[in-house]
Amino acid sequence: MPCIQIHTNRPVEQEKAERIKTELGRIITFLPDKSEQWLLVELLDNSRIWFHGEGDRPFALVQVKVWGDHINREGSERMTKAVCELLNKELSVAPTDVYVRYLATPDWGWNSANF
């Protein structure tokens, strides 16, 4: 049950949002046992974001949340690289202006119950 949330200060047209969502469906497979089938994507554009005290260029905060007790290190490193490349290509956010945070949780609810 992975979830990817992206906050960016860039406006994102629907067509770009669809391309980002589709590519994230491929990228999530870098983490073992994760697939697009259960992937939830949230893309929040036009967010107020400052980094290094600046807010005048494109930035992004990406949070990757997965059910489990750990994040696979090799998979997350591959994923970070791919996410940075994707956001650079689609939103002109430089990799130096992207933070990617990974969170694992053993408590995840769906369909009125927890896994």
Side-chain angles (χ1 to χ4, degrees):
M1 183 74 170
C3 173
I4 300 174
Q5 297 171 301
I6 299 174
H7 296 256
T8 182
N9 60 342
R10 302 282 294 160
V12 183
E13 304 94 27
Q14 184 62 32
E15 187 176 306
K16 282 188 180 195
E18 289 287 334
R19 285 195 305 264
I20 291 168
K21 182 267 310 171
T22 299
E23 188 62 13
L24 290 174
R26 182 189 71 79
I27 292 170
I28 195 63
T29 64
F30 293 163
L31 297 179
D33 303 319
K34 305 302 178 202
S35 70
E36 185 179 27
Q37 179 181 0
W38 289 97
L39 177 61
L40 177 71
V41 175
E42 179 181 36
L43 176 57
L44 300 167
D45 62 348
N46 293 314
S47 296
R48 291 184 179 103
I49 300 175
W50 296 267
F51 187 42
H52 298 295
E54 301 173 15
D56 60 344
R57 64 181 189 271
F59 297 110
L61 169 63
V62 180
Q63 295 192 70
V64 180
K65 302 173 184 179
V66 299
W67 177 62
D69 58 3
H70 73 282
I71 303 290
N72 176 274
R73 180 70 179 192
E74 180 182 334
S76 66
E77 287 180 9
R78 289 181 60 210
M79 190 170 178
T80 296
K81 184 177 188 312
V83 166
C84 287
E85 289 171 354
L86 173 64
L87 297 181
N88 190 25
K89 176 183 173 187
E90 294 294 341
L91 303 179
S92 299
V93 180
T96 55
D97 292 325
V98 177
Y99 268 0
V100 183
R101 181 178 186 209
Y102 294 88
L103 302 158
T105 179
D107 302 309
W108 200 287
W110 171 73
N111 195 21
S112 303
N114 286 358
F115 290 103

